[in-house]
Amino acid sequence: MTAPRLLLLAPTQSYRTDDFLAAAARLGVPVVVGTDRCHRIEETFGEEQGLWSLDYRKPEHAAEQIAAAARQEPIAGIVPVNETTAVIAALAAERLGLPWNPPDAALRAADKAAQRTRLAEAGLPVPAFRAFRLDGDPEAAAASVTYPCVLKPVVLSASRGVIRADDPAGFVAAWRRIERILREARTERRAAGAEAARTVLVEAFVPGAEVAVEGLLRGGAFELLALFDKPDPLDGPYFEETLYVTPSRHPAPLQREIARLTGEACRALGLREGPVHAELRLPPAGPVILEVAARSIGGLCARTLRFGAGISLEELLVCHALRLPLASLQRERRAAGVMMIPIPRAGILHGVGGLDEAKAVPGVEDVVVTAQEGREVAPLPEGDCYFGFIFARGEAPAEVEAALRAAHARLRIDIRAPLPMV
Ligand code: ADP
Ligand code: CA
């Protein structure tokens, strides 16, 4: 028997694995990485890193695999990295007797329609919505909804396939485009099952500024870790996320209301432990909840956050999962932000120039390009990967925002049409 370890549940292609492993190393915590495809990740981490190959397509089965493996190598806590693994973590934690989210709460949070229904039942503000099956008639559906609306497949994430429609013609075009996107998204379709893969949600378009909430649940109590403004308008037709800047510049009472609603939403969903990432819109009548997820912020965006004496979000989450003492949940006093670098067009990435100039902008801490040269990239609604990230820190949010924009303006992104096949 070895010492109890942390189980990190990461998809093979996760951007976050390195940051979580670094956090565990700083804390001196032994880690097992659970993943759905072993061979690739083995090359990255070497054989000394514990690795469990799990069947992510069947969450119940993956949880059984974890429970069986944990009988040989005890697990003291689980950190899931994304939505899929959040459900597996809940199922596995129940089997291992670890305090975590109840599986039905994790499932409810991961299902866009079930989540909306539950939040609406609890009297919380969510967009009006209806679910349609993609094998139905789009013209009939288009005639039955109000405009503007937003169409979104239930099985995708990161704004993939999310499209605004202003009239029936736009609705039918969006519908067809989502069908095409889903046809390509084989992995997601398989993971979600046939019924979900054929479902599209149609929601009332909620206008106004958008914010992102990063929080932590401990024993059912919600604590706000950071509130991010998204200073670029997200009015569609596609919803590419760019800037995240914290602290928020919205009035303090509105910020408190956003945190309160997020906590209420977690309670309504039944979530109790671990990270929460939520998105809300701020129309004049008051905040509307777009999404509450039982995971932490995506991509490399967590690198903007530091707590207490400088610990990372990943360290905080590892400590929480292992029930180690948490010194402070107080974010640093300075402002911080990230730009998720927009993908200007579809094609083959030939290179990115101006990286040194961008990094030299005062306040900019790092520029990381995650897209690979020689590979195809595509903007939303089709795109399924982050291009890269610019990180900045400063005294005030406006300064951070300006630094991120200035750095972005210095990048020369070279994307070219693929050569025709011969
Ligand atoms: P995903 O799970 O792919 O992130 P979301 O439901 O969070 O899907 O939608 C992605 C983005 O699309 C949101 O952050 C928001 O900018 C926009 N969006 C989604 N639904 C609505 C809506 N009903 N009204 C206005 N904007 C929306
Ligand atoms: Ca979202």
Side-chain angles (χ1 to χ4, degrees):
M1 295 282 264
T2 47
R5 305 197 271 180
L6 176 82
L7 173 59
L8 178 68
L9 291 181
T12 312
Q13 317 276 343
S14 177
Y15 296 88
R16 303 284 302 283
T17 308
D18 290 347
D19 289 358
F20 272 109
L21 290 178
R26 278 196 296 275
L27 292 162
V29 167
V31 185
V32 184
V33 179
T35 177
D36 52 348
R37 242 176 301 149
C38 225
H39 52 276
R40 237 212 58 180
I41 224 162
E42 222 149 17
E43 290 162 20
T44 324
F45 303 126
E47 279 168 15
E48 67 279 9
Q49 184 78 58
L51 272 171
W52 291 354
S53 183
L54 305 169
D55 184 1
Y56 281 0
R57 286 173 303 173
K58 303 195 194 89
E60 293 278 354
H61 183 219
E64 283 303 331
Q65 292 177 305
I66 292 169
R71 279 194 279 277
Q72 311 300 320
E73 299 179 55
I75 291 299
I78 307 178
V79 172
V81 170
N82 65 348
E83 269 105 353
T84 318
T85 52
V87 172
I88 297 169
L91 290 163
E94 185 182 50
R95 286 167 171 78
L96 297 177
L98 297 170
W100 200 251
N101 291 316
D104 61 340
L107 280 163
R108 208 178 282 130
D111 177 332
K112 285 181 205 284
Q115 170 173 146
R116 286 264 183 283
T117 305
R118 174 55 69 98
L119 297 184
E121 281 166 4
L124 291 163
V126 290
F129 82 97
R130 273 177 67 189
F132 290 90
R133 285 177 56 126
L134 282 166
D135 33 25
D137 172 18
E139 270 89 13
S144 72
V145 302
T146 52
Y147 295 91
C149 63
V150 174
L151 290 82
K152 61 176 84 161
V154 297
V155 301
L156 300 183
S157 57
S159 306
R160 256 175 105 196
V162 181
I163 305 176
R164 170 175 164 157
D166 290 332
D167 52 41
F171 183 102
V172 174
W175 179 292
R176 302 255 185 253
R177 195 158 177 182
I178 289 171
E179 282 180 322
R180 276 200 301 277
I181 293 169
L182 282 172
R183 231 173 283 139
E184 300 290 313
R186 266 179 225 101
T187 322
E188 292 84 349
R189 270 193 288 133
R190 234 185 283 133
E195 187 57 38
R198 276 198 303 262
T199 306
V200 64
L201 286 190
V202 179
E203 303 184 351
F205 173 81
V206 182
E210 191 166 315
V211 291
V213 174
E214 205 61 22
L216 181 67
L217 287 163
R218 292 195 284 180
F222 173 83
E223 287 160 281
L224 181 75
L225 297 176
L227 179 57
F228 288 94
D229 289 343
K230 304 186 184 184
D232 279 339
L234 285 155
D235 290 332
Y238 318 119
F239 298 91
E240 181 172 60
E241 293 203 284
T242 52
L243 291 168
Y244 267 50
V245 180
T246 190
S248 172
R249 283 168 271 178
H250 290 293
L254 182 56
Q255 294 191 32
R256 282 195 293 275
E257 178 63 1
I258 291 164
R260 187 189 69 80
L261 285 171
T262 308
E264 286 298 315
C266 293
R267 191 204 304 265
L269 294 170
L271 297 173
R272 296 189 54 79
E273 296 288 345
V276 173
H277 178 81
E279 276 146 9
L280 295 89
R281 280 269 173 156
L282 310 176
V288 173
I289 302 165
L290 289 186
E291 170 174 45
V292 177
R295 58 163 172 90
S296 54
I297 190 167
L300 296 178
C301 298
R303 292 189 184 170
T304 53
L305 298 176
R306 285 185 198 144
F307 300 90
I311 76 165
S312 66
L313 179 66
E314 288 82 3
E315 282 173 86
L316 207 145
L317 296 177
V318 169
C319 284
H320 168 259
L322 292 174
R323 296 166 305 287
L324 300 172
L326 288 175
S328 169
L329 298 186
Q330 184 67 46
R331 202 188 63 80
E332 67 178 339
R333 192 192 47 77
R334 305 183 76 202
V338 57
M339 176 181 279
M340 289 165 252
I341 302 170
I343 298 175
R345 72 191 72 86
I348 306 286
L349 176 63
H350 277 244
V352 183
L355 284 171
D356 291 336
E357 294 96 308
K359 286 181 194 170
V361 171
V364 168
E365 290 191 336
D366 202 5
V367 182
V368 180
V369 175
T370 44
Q372 283 171 17
E373 262 176 53
R375 299 287 286 271
E376 253 186 286
V377 294
L380 285 172
E382 281 81 15
D384 63 350
C385 71
Y386 290 104
F387 188 87
F389 304 84
I390 307 172
F391 302 96
R393 241 170 268 274
E395 281 311 303
E399 185 187 321
V400 168
E401 181 183 335
L404 293 170
R405 291 192 193 282
H408 179 237
R410 283 168 170 72
L411 295 180
R412 297 183 301 276
I413 297 173
D414 183 5
I415 294 172
R416 303 185 199 167
L419 291 174
M421 303 274 264
V422 285

